[in-house]
Amino acid sequence: MNTTATATTAATAGTAWYELALCAQTGPGFFFPEPGSSLRDAKRLCGACEGRAGCLEYALANDERFGVWGGLSEAERQALRARR
């Protein structure tokens, strides 16, 4: 069994959503705003993104603690983790 190929395939499948992601076409400051800044625009873009569900699952699986991922803020992801 080729464990390197298996690991590479698993890693690629875990980030395949990024090829569809609208965030790849914007700067990181949009999704990682300064504290106290509005998240409304980032969330609106996420809402129109085909990769949103995969992005959210990636963020939850990798314990992303900062920024907007899958249309949710850090606090919203933390609450979702607690409910799961």
Side-chain angles (χ1 to χ4, degrees):
M1 178 175 187
N2 186 343
T3 56
T4 304
T6 303
T8 302
T9 301
T12 302
T15 58
W17 59 267
Y18 193 74
E19 292 179 19
L20 303 171
L22 295 175
C23 62
Q25 301 169 24
T26 63
F30 198 73
F31 294 92
F32 298 91
E34 294 294 321
S37 298
S38 175
L39 302 175
R40 181 181 52 224
D41 291 336
K43 287 181 168 196
R44 187 177 313 142
L45 189 61
C46 287
C49 184
E50 292 181 46
R52 181 175 182 233
C55 174
L56 178 58
E57 289 306 317
Y58 174 86
L60 293 172
N62 291 284
D63 198 26
E64 292 290 346
R65 296 187 183 203
F66 302 100
V68 175
W69 289 82
L72 299 182
S73 68
E74 304 96 64
E76 292 166 331
R77 288 192 306 279
Q78 186 177 19
L80 180 59
R81 273 190 215 97
R83 289 191 306 264
R84 285 185 167 191

